[in-house]
Amino acid sequence: MKEYSQKVSKSDYPKRIFSGIQPTGNLHLGNYLGAIQKWVQLQDSGENVIWSIADMHSTTLPHDPKDLNDNIFKITATLLACGIDPNKSILFQQSTVDTHAQLSWILGCLTTLARLARLPQFKEKSQTLKNVPLSLYIYPVLQSADILLYKATHVPVGQDQVQHIQFAQELAIKFNKRFGNTFPVPHSLVNGKNKMQVNV
């Protein structure tokens, strides 16, 4: 599926890069090479960047609240140690901003069960669960709210997340058609071997 073309001129929405990371435990080399290293490169190149500790996403599946709280502190410290600089980037905890949940509800009213069912990660993760929580089904709506809330134009992702960015594009277009031009249509920055590639 091809990404949607942005319907407004670039001057209407300045370039802004947004991404989040779940505080689900200790980071490994794959997290560093696949995401954090790219975040630091984007930050240090002078891009307008916003990074989120996506703790609401970490509650999608059963979890220990104490462990989650500890992991939030650990991942924040790790990101800072790896080079995320609060003087160059915005770094924040997702659950401290109420509008993530509020926009997620509004966007949820614009999508359908059938559309969510076509997203690949739900199919994969639900196969291993006896009781599938609703949160696992609808978390792409929250992910879209995360992106659109900050009027992000670009989102660094792995290839496995491109369909979720396409879903966010659809929701941005639907919202804009119904309520007026509000959100840019975000594009994925896909990790290549040596650089980030924009899917257009």
Side-chain angles (χ1 to χ4, degrees):
M1 176 186 277
K2 190 175 181 180
E3 290 205 14
Y4 291 95
S5 298
Q6 196 159 340
K7 301 294 184 183
V8 294
S9 67
K10 290 184 179 179
S11 61
D12 291 336
Y13 296 103
K15 184 178 180 183
R16 179 173 294 144
I17 298 171
F18 174 89
S19 191
I21 189 167
Q22 291 189 43
T24 53
N26 293 325
L27 296 178
H28 50 73
L29 186 60
N31 297 127
Y32 177 74
L33 296 175
I36 299 170
Q37 185 181 51
K38 305 297 184 190
W39 287 14
V40 174
Q41 290 171 357
L42 290 165
Q43 162 201 274
D44 290 345
S45 67
E47 297 284 5
N48 179 2
V49 293
I50 302 174
W51 312 127
S52 171
I53 308 296
D55 56 328
M56 291 171 69
H57 286 288
S58 294
T59 65
T60 299
L61 296 173
H63 65 284
D64 183 308
K66 183 181 182 307
D67 287 345
L68 176 57
N69 191 56
D70 291 344
N71 287 338
I72 291 168
F73 284 101
K74 286 178 183 176
I75 199 165
T76 302
T78 301
L79 290 172
L80 296 174
C82 288
I84 296 299
D85 183 348
N87 293 315
K88 299 177 181 178
S89 296
I90 293 174
L91 176 64
F92 74 100
Q93 183 180 338
Q94 178 191 31
S95 64
T96 63
V97 182
D98 295 342
T99 41
H100 283 265
Q102 293 165 358
L103 182 56
S104 179
W105 176 261
I106 293 168
L107 296 178
C109 296
L110 299 178
T111 193
T112 65
L113 294 175
R115 178 63 185 94
L116 286 169
R118 295 201 305 271
L119 293 170
Q121 290 207 348
F122 172 75
K123 294 176 184 176
E124 294 168 11
K125 291 184 179 180
S126 63
Q127 290 176 355
T128 62
L129 297 173
K130 183 177 180 181
N131 297 308
V132 180
L134 177 62
S135 54
L136 183 61
Y137 198 73
I138 63 172
Y139 95 88
V141 180
L142 177 60
Q143 185 180 41
S144 296
D146 297 338
I147 296 164
L148 299 183
L149 184 60
Y150 299 97
K151 298 192 174 182
T153 57
H154 295 82
V155 185
V157 292
Q159 190 63 44
D160 63 326
Q161 284 288 316
V162 168
Q163 288 190 42
H164 285 189
I165 306 306
Q166 292 168 345
F167 177 65
Q169 293 172 341
E170 293 173 21
L171 288 178
I173 291 169
K174 281 185 179 181
F175 188 100
N176 290 344
K177 283 183 177 178
R178 185 171 298 185
F179 301 109
N181 191 22
T182 306
F183 300 119
V185 177
H187 297 282
S188 55
L189 286 172
V190 181
N191 286 338
K193 288 184 179 179
N194 300 311
K195 62 181 179 179
M196 306 291 283
Q197 298 176 331
V198 182
N199 275 13
V200 178

